[in-house]
């Protein structure tokens, strides 16, 4: 019984470790990696596909012209001709998109 009494105190002590502050830097770094523009990828797959990949990778949702449903899953991006799917709308609520990734949309069909 005494063993279980010590465990919660030990867990509470973990909250005070300095690495918890450092995790914020890790997540900032990871978000920057997800937002990095890959110009070669844009050239290879087209601007709308590359922008879709970026947005979905960062947790946003995308809707294409002529479709009612929102695309939420990166692994279920539509296949077919690269110029067939043009982005109509973006829902970036609670996503990790950053301004450094906006170059993805520079040459896409997205209008602001």
């Amino acid at each position: 019984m005494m063993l279980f009494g010590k465990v919660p105190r030990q867990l509470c002590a973990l909250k005070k470790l300095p690495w918890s502050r450092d995790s914020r830097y890790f997540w900032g770094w990871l978000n920057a990696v997800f937002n990095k523009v890959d110009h070669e990828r844009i050239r290879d797959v087209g601007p709308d596909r590359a922008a879709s990949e970026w947005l979905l990778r960062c947790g946003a949702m995308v809707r294409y012209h002529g479709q009612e449903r929102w695309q939420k899953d990166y692994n279920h991006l539509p296949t077919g001709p690269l110029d067939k799917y043009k982005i109509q709308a973006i829902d970036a609520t609670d996503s990790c998109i950053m301004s450094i990734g906006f170059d993805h949309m520079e040459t896409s069909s997205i209008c602001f």
Side-chain angles (χ1 to χ4, degrees), residues 1 8 10-11 17 20 27 30 36 38 44-45 49 51 58 63 72 76 79 82 85 89 97-98 101 104 106 111:
M1 197 65 145
Q10 291 170 343
L11 290 176
L17 291 175
S20 63
W27 291 113
L30 188 62
K36 184 178 179 193
D38 184 352
D44 291 346
V45 300
R49 173 66 185 218
C58 291
R63 192 172 67 218
K72 302 174 187 176
H76 291 108
T79 57
L82 296 176
Y85 296 98
I97 64 170
M98 301 169 75
H104 283 99
E106 186 176 319
C111 297

Side-chain angles (χ1 to χ4, degrees), residues 20-43:
S20 63
R21 181 175 38 107
D22 294 337
S23 70
R24 182 174 11 159
Y25 300 115
F26 170 76
W27 291 113
W29 171 83
L30 188 62
N31 287 340
V33 168
F34 280 172
N35 280 276
K36 184 178 179 193
V37 178
D38 184 352
H39 295 284
E40 186 175 323
R41 183 73 178 155
I42 294 171
R43 189 186 69 236

Side-chain angles (χ1 to χ4, degrees), residues 70-82:
W70 286 90
Q71 181 69 38
K72 302 174 187 176
D73 189 352
Y74 181 90
N75 295 316
H76 291 108
L77 276 167
T79 57
L82 296 176

Side-chain angles (χ1 to χ4, degrees), residues 45-49 52 62-67 78 81-89 107-110:
V45 300
D48 283 277
R49 173 66 185 218
S52 296
V62 177
R63 192 172 67 218
Y64 301 104
H65 286 282
Q67 293 189 355
L82 296 176
D83 60 343
K84 180 178 178 183
Y85 296 98
K86 301 292 183 186
I87 297 174
Q88 177 182 2
T107 57
S108 70
S109 63
I110 304 165

